Amino acid sequence: MKCRRIPKRLRRFLSNVGLLGAVTKALKDPRHRKGRQWAFDYLVELLLTGALVQARSLAEVERCSEQVGVRVPDSTLSYLLARIDPAPLREVLRDNVRTMIRSKTLRPEGLPFGVLAIDGKTSWTGGHAADVEAQQQGNDFTLRWMRAVLTSARSRPCIDQDVIPAKTNEMGHFPTFWKALRRAYSRADLFALVTLDAGYSSKQNAKIIDDDGCGYLLRIKGEQPTLLAEMKRLLLPRAGQPEAVSPWESVKGRQVQHRLVRRREIAGFDDWAHSRQAWLVQTVVRHKDGHEEVVMERYYLTNLLWNALSAKQILHVVRGHWSIENDCNWVLDVAWEEDTTAWATNAGEVATHHPLRTLSWLRMLAYNVLGWLLRVRLRSRPTWSALRDALRRVLLPIPSATEMELELLPLG
């Protein structure tokens, strides 16, 4: 990152966002009144600072505390993290999104309306039930989340997430998640289309979205054999005459292009009363000898009116759904190493302890704020690692030689 002014911008930005204050205000101190050595606000700020600078462990957060002010042992931080009630952090995230809405930085880019992608994500895998809602899969337990990412906005923030209960799955939890999502943003004209992977594709879920006056885009695979067969019958004969094609681009050393075919004859098929269009998006690879090969075909069903989006905008929307994996989930996996670096895992399997949830909320808050900063506020476009290093210079300042001399002066 070449711009030396970025640390000052970061300091001003974090102050304006007020994230630290919002988190400390929302959470309650779970400790007994006696024997409190450190202020609760200070400990919470350490945990959030650790999330912002992408700390891999509580031992690293402990080292951060030495640079921030007073050293706090990682055992103290672990005790607190396990006992904090993470539920209020959901509203903190929503308030943070509303702040972005008021700043008018979540407007759709290249589209006439906002588009939201909903998908599942595993935040932890281990050999014990580290959360009451951890799902057992063979010998391992996993904690799974449902996430909603605004893919039409430049910063692509996560606007809500929720743990998927152990006794259900993504399909079963969607109605509950959708109801909470709509209630949280009922007054905001934030999105008009929801994109969903095949794991959510059902008539019930489609009807729930359609009844609320929203558009849906469902990926259709083998779980819907009758519908998929009809879509192939309608779309494949037209595959050689696409309505839109994307520019050729280099992906992992290969030239790749996406092509769109759509038909409206699918409307109302097989009791999908609200369906209006079927889409086929082909991924084509051009080899060095000029030969073109279709390497992937994706089928989609939607209730959008025919002229709601142009053919090029449709390709933009489809590609945008992939960004929930390529941006939000990928960044959390790579920058924060979400799947492999849990700060505390509730090894005692105490029902009231939810350290994994608290950590996930802190990291998601950090992702949203830093994504907003990186993609919207900064003129330069630093990498996530460069932004992390700048944050560490701002939030974890190393004292200068003069400051160290002043500190050591009383010692003679």
Side-chain angles (χ1 to χ4, degrees):
M1 189 162 45
K2 298 180 180 179
C3 182
R4 294 183 180 180
R5 296 180 181 178
I6 284 179
K8 291 184 179 180
R9 293 180 182 178
L10 289 181
R11 184 178 287 109
R12 184 169 62 249
F13 174 81
L14 292 173
S15 175
N16 292 339
V17 169
L19 184 60
L20 291 174
V23 171
T24 55
K25 184 179 179 180
L27 298 178
K28 293 183 179 180
D29 192 344
R31 301 172 298 170
H32 298 293
R33 292 186 178 180
K34 294 183 179 180
R36 296 182 182 178
Q37 186 174 354
W38 293 276
F40 179 65
D41 287 2
Y42 176 60
L43 297 180
V44 173
E45 288 184 5
L46 283 179
L47 293 173
L48 182 56
T49 299
L52 286 167
V53 301
Q54 302 166 27
R56 302 298 193 266
S57 65
L58 286 178
E60 189 173 340
V61 180
E62 176 184 339
R63 291 192 291 272
C64 292
S65 70
E66 296 180 6
Q67 296 176 268
V68 170
V70 180
R71 174 183 169 275
V72 177
D74 59 355
S75 58
T76 299
L77 295 169
S78 178
Y79 179 92
L80 182 67
L81 186 66
R83 289 161 178 79
I84 287 177
D85 178 9
L89 292 175
R90 189 174 191 179
E91 193 57 35
V92 174
L93 182 136
R94 291 168 175 172
D95 284 341
N96 181 246
V97 172
R98 294 182 187 109
T99 299
M100 296 180 189
I101 295 173
R102 289 192 293 271
S103 71
K104 299 181 181 181
T105 56
L106 296 187
R107 291 175 174 175
E109 293 200 326
L111 296 170
F113 44 73
V115 180
L116 187 73
I118 297 178
D119 202 0
K121 173 70 168 65
T122 298
S123 69
W124 179 80
T125 301
H128 66 279
D131 191 278
V132 293
E133 298 299 352
Q135 302 178 1
Q136 186 170 8
Q137 298 179 346
N139 295 326
D140 291 326
F141 290 84
T142 61
L143 185 64
R144 290 188 54 78
W145 295 77
M146 191 172 289
R147 287 176 176 166
V149 175
L150 193 65
T151 56
S152 56
R154 185 187 303 177
S155 60
R156 294 181 283 281
C158 173
I159 68 170
D160 202 9
Q161 68 171 6
D162 192 21
V163 170
I164 300 174
K167 294 182 179 180
T168 186
N169 54 21
E170 295 176 19
M171 181 83 74
H173 189 55
F174 176 79
T176 300
F177 182 73
W178 175 255
K179 184 178 180 180
L181 183 68
R182 292 288 292 173
R183 184 170 59 249
Y185 298 102
S186 59
R187 298 182 180 180
D189 185 20
L190 194 56
F191 58 90
L193 175 64
V194 184
T195 63
L196 298 157
D197 216 339
Y200 298 86
S201 299
S202 71
K203 294 178 184 177
Q204 178 189 3
N205 288 345
K207 184 177 186 302
I208 290 171
I209 298 171
D210 186 74
D211 287 348
D212 279 344
C214 281
Y216 64 75
L217 179 62
L218 304 177
R219 174 90 182 272
I220 303 300
K221 297 174 71 175
E223 293 82 357
Q224 302 284 346
T226 302
L227 180 59
L228 180 61
E230 178 65 9
M231 294 175 77
K232 288 182 176 181
R233 186 187 72 82
L234 292 172
L235 294 166
L236 283 177
R238 295 283 300 277
Q241 301 172 323
E243 286 193 42
V245 297
S246 69
W248 290 99
E249 60 180 326
S250 180
V251 179
K252 297 181 179 180
R254 303 191 304 176
Q255 292 296 306
V256 178
Q257 184 184 72
H258 303 292
R259 300 172 182 176
L260 168 72
V261 178
R262 60 175 177 159
R263 298 291 293 272
R264 67 179 88 202
E265 290 84 352
I266 199 70
F269 177 77
D270 193 28
D271 294 330
W272 288 76
H274 29 69
S275 63
R276 292 189 177 95
Q277 296 184 57
W279 299 350
L280 166 61
V281 177
Q282 292 181 321
T283 300
V284 181
V285 171
R286 183 168 61 192
H287 298 282
K288 293 181 179 180
D289 61 0
H291 171 67
E292 296 180 0
E293 179 187 5
V294 177
V295 295
M296 184 176 296
E297 293 180 330
R298 295 181 173 93
Y299 293 87
Y300 298 92
L301 185 72
T302 180
N303 64 340
L304 287 177
L305 296 173
W306 186 261
N307 294 323
L309 294 170
S310 68
K312 289 185 177 180
Q313 288 173 335
I314 288 174
L315 285 178
H316 184 66
V317 167
V318 170
R319 186 163 189 172
H321 179 76
W322 304 336
S323 70
I324 192 173
E325 288 293 339
N326 297 336
D327 287 304
C328 179
N329 290 343
W330 182 88
V331 169
L332 285 162
D333 278 343
V334 175
W336 277 269
E337 297 184 10
E338 181 180 41
D339 290 353
T340 56
T341 58
W343 288 353
T345 62
N346 188 20
E349 300 185 13
V350 181
T352 56
H353 290 185
H354 306 291
L356 293 174
R357 299 191 197 192
T358 301
L359 177 60
S360 180
W361 283 113
L362 292 177
R363 283 173 166 169
M364 187 57 71
L365 286 166
Y367 163 78
N368 274 3
V369 170
L370 299 187
W372 192 29
L373 175 63
L374 185 147
R375 299 185 178 114
V376 177
R377 293 299 187 184
L378 294 179
R379 293 182 181 178
S380 63
R381 290 291 178 264
T383 63
W384 282 95
S385 60
L387 182 60
R388 175 201 62 206
D389 294 341
L391 275 170
R392 289 180 176 178
R393 292 195 297 271
V394 173
L395 300 177
L396 308 174
I398 299 175
S400 65
T402 301
E403 290 172 331
M404 292 183 67
E405 288 178 4
L406 291 174
E407 287 291 328
L408 294 173
L409 188 61
L411 301 179

